[in-house]
Amino acid sequence: MTNFHSTIDVSVNGQRRSDEVDHRSTLLDYLREHLGLTGSKKGCDHGQCGACTVLQDGLRINSCLQLAVMADGTEVITIEGIDAEGIDAEGIHTEGIDGTVDRAGSGGGGASLQRTFVELDGLQCGYCTPGQICSAVGVIREIAAGWPSAVMEQVTDRPALTEAEVRERMSGNLCRCGAYVNIVPAILRAQELRS
Amino acid sequence: MTPLGYARPRDVADALDRAAAPGAMFIGGGTNLVDLMKLGVETPAALVDVGRLGLDRIEELAGGGLRIGAAVRNSRLAADARVRQRYPVLAEALVNGASGQLRNMATVGGNLLQRTRCAYFQDTSADCNKRVPGSGCSARAGDHRNLAILGGSPACIATHPSDMAVAMVALDAVVNVRTPAGTSRTDVRELHRLPGSTPHIETVLAAGSLIESVDLPAPVEARSTYRKVRDRASFAFAVASVAAIVQLDDRRVRDVRIALGAVAPRPWRASAAEDVIRGESPSTALFESAIAAELADAEPLRGNAYKVPLLRNLVVRVLCELCGVDPPVRSLA
């Protein structure tokens, strides 16, 4: 007899959880419907808009495209817990990449992004904002870890946090209000604040 | 979605056992399969999660090559210093694919085996010979703007959407496959079948086979690039792409490898174009005759005929850049 449910052990915003999930549930539905963490949004539900972005083991992912059962054993951070998240490369250190991991400003990076999004009007309706901020934490970490992007002259270069990099790396987060002109400065400003 | 079994196998042998059950499918990152399940295109009875079998390592091969585990995430592969230094064309292709979030989820094996993004394949109310064999093809008379101009058939003109696989085909990469009978090796360029009259059979892999890893041969001293044309600057599938690797002697092209993306049912190795160029002195005229040879068998339709001049201009320009030849200036015609 096939079992259609499993118990998963996950850490969500630092709290350990053990819950039974239907194998069909996505991580997004588990967070919203099971845990009541409705900050992560369901926009397209097909991985195209980024409103559902959360951090898993330090990396940003689309929670709408991962089954909750696949998240067993992982650590998930949603917008509800992002304020305590650092925006350094800790946790995603990449083997063989030259350069030191910059730990300055570790802790509170997520909170500074929340502040700069408010101060610089990085939103209008706000629906995409939780995903934008979680994704931005991931972007700043990935740049700190030296991960390449499509706008680099050479993939062997070390990236810097520039407007072009932010625009490229944030392309998985759509904002139908078109607040991009303020989202980009908000991310750049958050980085300035911590350095 | 219908109720679903789920298993996390102990090892590869256990995974193969579980995949033999009726209706079972492997799942890697889930970025394509979960989406297709939501759309009702795929209805697995059970999923076998192959994301935690220890296939997430990148290892050195004797002689300077790399073995990439099938469960390595696309972002980790692109960030690996050895990949960036020895196979920059692969890192470029990877960072041009999908979004940052998706690259953190998608696996190498899943990227190779991802399904076409043909709108009619994804729409269960449309006719699609790939989804429902014998049902017909809605794309031929419908919207085929981003479908194949090479290698298609009356039954199917779907394209393979990967960027990564295009670079792997240009690099002569090889997949290591496990079956209950043992292991086998297949060139990535031979992995995907052309549709013919059976477009639902997409690869040469036997049912229940598992891609364990991809081997990259030792790098050669060469110039290379991956160039992608798409409808917007980021996070969009290609309408055409090219991975090119050129080895130059004094005045001649000692060797050239060209793979084309988003124009055929599989990442398309442009062997006819390579044969025209190899051993010759690089020039715009040479590159134009080379891509003309490759496109001689092109079968564009009304809505995707634009891909013929687009691909010609793209390939000529990339080869000119790699060989230090002034690119042609011409009208759009």
Side-chain angles (χ1 to χ4, degrees):
Chain A
M1 185 63 198
T2 306
N3 194 344
F4 300 126
H5 298 77
S6 292
T7 299
I8 59 169
D9 294 308
V10 285
S11 162
V12 180
N13 297 329
Q15 292 199 309
R16 304 187 73 81
R17 304 276 325 183
S18 188
D19 292 300
E20 187 179 80
V21 295
D22 187 309
H23 294 153
R24 294 170 292 182
S25 295
T26 62
L27 174 59
L28 175 63
D29 285 339
Y30 167 69
L31 293 170
R32 288 180 55 86
E33 309 297 334
H34 204 112
L35 303 187
L37 294 171
T38 55
S40 306
K41 295 296 187 278
K42 184 178 284 193
C44 69
D45 208 26
H46 291 284
Q48 296 171 5
C49 78
C52 67
T53 302
V54 300
L55 300 175
Q56 182 173 57
D57 295 337
L59 296 178
R60 56 190 173 134
I61 64 160
N62 298 112
S63 63
C64 76
L65 287 184
Q66 184 175 85
L67 298 175
V69 67
M70 296 169 72
D72 180 41
T74 66
E75 293 184 8
V76 176
I77 301 291
T78 70
I79 189 67
E80 288 88 348
I82 203 76
D83 56 334
E85 283 296 291
I87 46 177
D88 56 26
E90 200 170 356
I92 60 167
H93 175 64
T94 305
E95 195 182 340
I97 288 186
D98 185 35
T100 53
V101 172
D102 176 8
R103 288 168 198 274
S106 157
S112 55
L113 274 161
Q114 290 174 315
R115 256 196 326 276
T116 57
F117 266 69
V118 171
E119 287 169 3
L120 297 178
D121 288 331
L123 64 147
Q124 286 185 41
C125 82
Y127 194 81
C128 72
T129 311
Q132 299 277 2
I133 288 176
C134 288
S135 192
V137 170
V139 165
I140 295 173
R141 284 179 175 172
E142 289 163 19
I143 289 176
W147 287 17
S149 86
V151 294
M152 284 164 57
E153 202 62 36
Q154 303 284 338
V155 286
T156 45
D157 292 346
R158 197 176 171 83
L161 190 76
T162 62
E163 179 179 336
E165 288 285 357
V166 169
R167 286 185 175 278
E168 162 60 23
R169 291 173 192 257
M170 289 294 291
S171 66
N173 292 82
L174 303 188
C175 169
R176 295 297 77 174
C177 303
Y180 303 112
V181 287
N182 293 345
I183 290 171
V184 175
I187 295 169
L188 295 171
R189 177 80 180 132
Q191 169 74 356
E192 286 166 21
L193 285 181
R194 68 181 266 281
S195 50
Chain B
M1 270 189 237
T2 48
L4 186 66
Y6 172 86
R8 197 173 298 147
R10 293 184 308 277
D11 51 30
V12 171
D14 188 24
L16 294 173
D17 273 352
R18 292 175 183 276
M25 293 183 80
F26 292 125
I27 189 164
T31 57
N32 190 200
L33 181 53
V34 171
D35 195 25
L36 292 174
M37 288 163 61
K38 291 181 183 187
L39 294 168
V41 173
E42 287 293 352
T43 53
L47 295 175
V48 180
D49 188 342
V50 292
R52 303 190 199 186
L53 292 175
L55 303 176
D56 57 349
R57 288 187 279 273
I58 303 172
E59 297 165 333
E60 297 277 350
L61 289 173
L66 286 180
R67 173 162 293 172
I68 303 161
V72 172
R73 308 291 157 167
N74 283 195
S75 55
R76 295 272 183 191
L77 183 59
D80 188 277
R82 296 163 295 185
V83 172
R84 290 157 76 177
Q85 283 152 16
R86 298 181 210 171
Y87 311 98
V89 66
L90 177 58
E92 287 173 40
L94 284 160
V95 295
N96 273 285
S99 67
Q101 291 97 315
L102 290 167
R103 290 193 293 270
N104 282 337
M105 304 174 77
T107 62
V108 166
N111 187 320
L112 287 173
L113 297 181
Q114 68 178 301
R115 316 298 294 281
T116 184
R117 296 318 195 275
C118 175
Y120 304 104
F121 174 73
Q122 296 185 312
D123 176 359
T124 55
S125 69
D127 294 332
C128 173
N129 289 317
K130 186 185 279 298
R131 182 166 36 72
V132 182
S135 65
C137 171
S138 296
R140 224 159 229 291
D143 178 7
H144 49 254
R145 181 177 167 275
N146 199 16
L147 300 183
I149 57 171
L150 291 165
S153 72
C156 184
I157 50 171
T159 47
H160 192 269
S162 175
D163 294 294
M164 179 197 80
V166 179
M168 285 183 171
V169 164
L171 288 165
D172 289 324
V174 179
V175 289
N176 295 302
V177 180
R178 270 281 286 276
T179 67
T183 60
S184 62
R185 288 166 62 80
T186 301
D187 291 344
V188 176
R189 65 186 289 184
E190 303 295 337
L191 177 63
H192 297 93
R193 293 174 70 259
L194 294 182
S197 58
T198 53
H200 59 291
I201 305 171
E202 297 184 339
T203 72
V204 299
L205 302 178
S209 305
L210 180 68
I211 294 179
E212 275 193 301
S213 60
V214 177
D215 288 353
L216 300 178
V220 293
E221 188 69 35
R223 297 182 189 181
S224 68
T225 195
Y226 183 77
R227 191 72 49 86
K228 176 175 179 177
V229 179
R230 40 185 158 175
D231 289 334
R232 60 183 184 196
S234 186
F235 194 22
F237 288 101
V239 295
S241 71
V242 57
I245 303 169
V246 178
Q247 291 174 269
L248 288 170
D249 277 338
D250 288 338
R251 303 301 300 262
R252 298 194 181 279
V253 179
R254 179 150 43 96
D255 199 10
V256 59
R257 289 177 280 166
I258 304 167
L260 308 174
V263 292
R266 64 183 181 197
W268 189 264
R269 185 70 179 257
S271 307
E274 294 174 3
D275 290 344
V276 171
I277 296 167
R278 199 172 287 115
E280 300 295 324
S281 175
S283 71
T284 300
L286 177 71
F287 300 146
E288 288 185 339
S289 60
I291 191 61
E294 194 64 49
L295 289 167
D297 295 330
E299 293 183 299
L301 298 169
R302 172 184 36 81
N304 64 4
Y306 76 98
K307 286 196 181 187
V308 172
L310 176 66
L311 197 58
R312 180 193 68 203
N313 293 351
L314 177 65
V315 169
V316 169
R317 172 166 285 271
V318 160
L319 292 172
C320 283
E321 287 177 14
L322 290 177
C323 296
V325 173
D326 284 338
V329 179
R330 70 157 126 248
S331 71
L332 290 171

